[in-house]
């Protein structure tokens, strides 16, 4: 299997009527209020399968609310100026609420603030954009990457009680996901655990090709790598065979679950005795929680009890708890078996 990165076909914008679908719902969730509203999901960089499935998950959540009359989508395509333009455009069109994955961080804050002041219910999520709730946007829906770091750190400490040499890979420089995960790791691990990467992490931009380049270089540089820590498991696969080509076992890995990685582990673990694997859930439901908040605030519904999404451990190859490593060979590698979105709908999302 090969992980591919596809552009969403409706990369500029799409509008989907949701009222008809939602009308058939037997139970309207409490976060869906009585006031009609339109909702836009703005992705800073929507070209990989994780983003496509997460966006589809948020759309599926919006379909549960008959008060949402239209759902719009825009892909910033990794271009900060396009992301800013998308935010301004939807604010000018009078959309009632927008959920924003602000890949560019604080660079999009002025546009978010202007939309907020114009009366749009603005809910950035997952990536820190700076600013304050009630001043620059309505609500920030975060993810507890610190808890992910704690979970990964506890696994590393359990499997390497005397210390380890570690390689930590994350996305763009300064991204809050990697920084918060590092905080969690460091709360568990002491000086016996050495990071081989430049501080605070190796920059990969969550790009499989760049990740492969980084891994290949680090494998050649370091004769001992005990653990690879990554917040995006799908990007790792291309670089891992370099261990075998150099006569070394693939090391332990802590990362995010994805079908491609589970199948790779099942194929490789017999000949790689050091290849232990711990994964957390893919985090696609973070988009659902952000949609719930935006809909609740825009329609007069009851907001969710929390604004922090927390991923649970999904697979542990050592203990088998809560699950052994999973693989569905009848499905593409891009599928997230930990996601609530059905595999069939995930396939639709990544094939658009």
């Amino acid at each position: 299997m090969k992980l591919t990165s596809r552009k969403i076909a409706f990369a500029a914008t799409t509008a989907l009527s949701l009222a008809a679908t939602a009308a058939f719902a037997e139970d309207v969730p409490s976060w869906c209020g009585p006031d009609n509203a339109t909702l836009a999901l703005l992705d800073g960089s929507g070209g990989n399968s994780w983003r496509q499935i997460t966006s589809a998950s948020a759309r599926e959540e919006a379909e549960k609310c008959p008060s949402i009359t239209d759902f719009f989508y825009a892909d910033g395509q990794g271009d900060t100026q396009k992301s800013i333009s998308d935010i301004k455009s939807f604010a000018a069109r009078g959309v009632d609420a927008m959920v924003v994955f602000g890949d560019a961080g604080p660079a999009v804050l002025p546009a978010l603030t202007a939309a907020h002041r114009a009366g749009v219910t603005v809910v950035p999520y997952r990536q820190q954009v700076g600013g304050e709730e009630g001043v620059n946007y309505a609500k920030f829906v975060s993810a507890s990457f610190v808890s992910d770091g704690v979970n990964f750190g506890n696994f590393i400490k359990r499997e390497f009680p005397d210390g380890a040499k570690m390689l930590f890979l994350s996305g763009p420089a300064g991204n809050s996901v990697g920084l918060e995960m590092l905080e969690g790791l460091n709360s568990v691990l002491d000086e016996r655990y050495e990071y081989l990467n430049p501080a605070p992490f190796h920059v990969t931009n969550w790009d499989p090709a760049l990740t492969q380049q980084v891994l290949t270089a680090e494998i050649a540089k370091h004769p001992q790598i005990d653990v690879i820590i990554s917040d995006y498991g799908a990007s790792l696969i291309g670089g891992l065979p370099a261990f075998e080509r150099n006569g070394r076992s693939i090391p332990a890995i802590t990362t995010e679950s994805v079908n491609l990685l589970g199948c790779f582990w099942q194929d490789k673990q017999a000949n790689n005795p050091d290849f232990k694997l711990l994964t957390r859930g893919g985090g696609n439901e973070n988009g659902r929680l952000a949609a719930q908040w935006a809909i609740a605030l825009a329609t007069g519904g009851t907001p969710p009890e929390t604004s922090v999404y927390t991923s649970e451990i999904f697979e542990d190859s050592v203990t088998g708890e809560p699950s052994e490593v999973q693989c569905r060979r009848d499905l593409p590698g891009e599928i997230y078996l930990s996601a609530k979105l059905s595999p069939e709908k995930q396939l639709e999302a990544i094939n658009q």
Side-chain angles (χ1 to χ4, degrees):
M1 273 178 281
K2 180 180 180 182
L3 181 67
T4 59
S5 179
R6 301 183 181 90
K7 294 292 184 184
I8 298 177
F10 46 103
T13 60
T14 61
L16 298 174
S17 175
L18 304 179
T21 303
F24 292 98
E26 294 181 2
D27 299 305
V28 176
S30 61
W31 43 264
C32 175
D35 302 330
N36 285 347
T38 55
L39 174 67
L41 175 63
L42 310 185
D43 220 336
S45 181
N48 64 52
S49 61
W50 188 91
R51 293 299 182 90
Q52 294 160 356
I53 291 167
T54 300
S55 297
S57 297
R59 183 175 65 190
E60 182 179 70
E61 203 69 2
E63 290 173 348
K64 299 175 182 177
C65 180
S67 299
I68 297 299
T69 57
D70 284 292
F71 181 96
F72 303 93
Y73 175 84
D75 177 6
Q77 302 174 353
D79 184 328
T80 298
Q81 291 307 311
K82 185 180 186 306
S83 297
I84 292 171
S85 177
D86 289 340
I87 295 167
K88 291 180 177 179
S89 175
F90 277 104
R93 291 170 60 180
V95 71
D96 296 303
M98 60 175 70
V99 172
V100 181
F101 198 126
D103 290 75
V108 301
L109 185 61
L112 296 178
T113 304
H116 171 73
R117 291 175 178 170
V120 182
T121 298
V122 179
V123 178
Y125 82 106
R126 202 166 178 91
Q127 173 68 28
Q128 296 279 357
V129 295
E132 300 178 32
E133 290 180 359
V135 176
N136 305 97
Y137 39 80
K139 193 72 179 178
F140 176 66
V141 175
S142 64
S144 183
F145 301 113
V146 174
S147 69
D148 292 335
V150 169
N151 288 334
F152 289 174
N154 284 332
F155 173 83
I156 294 168
K157 197 170 183 178
R158 186 189 79 195
E159 298 303 319
F160 301 91
D162 298 323
K165 294 185 181 295
M166 309 178 301
L167 190 63
F168 182 27
L169 313 179
S170 188
N175 82 84
S176 60
V177 178
L179 294 175
E180 292 176 21
M181 189 173 288
L182 181 62
E183 179 184 342
L185 286 162
N186 289 342
S187 72
V188 173
L189 304 175
D190 57 31
E191 65 277 359
R192 295 174 298 170
Y193 298 86
E194 176 188 356
Y195 294 99
L196 300 174
N197 51 273
F201 48 74
H202 246 309
V203 171
T204 68
N205 295 333
W206 296 310
D207 176 71
L210 181 55
T211 303
Q212 182 174 350
Q213 293 175 22
V214 168
L215 274 177
T216 301
E218 291 301 311
I219 291 167
K221 187 187 302 182
H222 300 291
Q224 179 183 350
I225 301 174
D226 298 310
V227 187
I228 297 173
I229 306 160
S230 172
D231 48 21
Y232 185 41
S235 66
L236 291 172
I237 309 303
L240 295 178
F243 283 101
E244 295 177 300
R245 290 195 295 269
N246 285 275
R248 296 160 60 179
S249 173
I250 297 171
I253 293 175
T254 64
T255 190
E256 177 183 79
S257 72
V258 64
N259 192 38
L260 179 68
L261 181 60
C263 293
F264 180 86
W265 182 87
Q266 289 189 7
D267 291 340
K268 297 292 186 179
Q269 58 89 23
N271 294 323
N272 290 270
D274 300 325
F275 191 8
K276 302 172 183 178
L277 180 65
L278 182 84
T279 68
R280 60 171 171 86
N284 308 99
E285 275 56 64
N286 204 166
R288 290 183 187 271
L289 181 60
Q292 290 174 8
W293 267 101
I295 293 169
L297 295 175
T299 65
T302 302
E305 294 182 357
T306 181
S307 61
V308 181
Y309 175 77
T310 302
S311 293
E312 303 293 336
I313 294 299
F314 183 59
E315 302 157 311
D316 187 328
S317 70
V318 180
T319 67
E321 298 292 336
S323 171
E324 296 181 349
V325 178
Q326 298 185 26
C327 165
R328 284 280 304 273
R329 297 186 186 276
D330 59 319
L331 295 173
E334 302 99 319
I335 296 299
Y336 291 84
L337 299 177
S338 62
K340 291 181 181 179
L341 194 70
S342 70
E344 292 76 20
K345 289 187 177 181
Q346 290 188 48
L347 283 172
E348 291 178 9
I350 64 178
N351 287 327
Q352 290 192 59

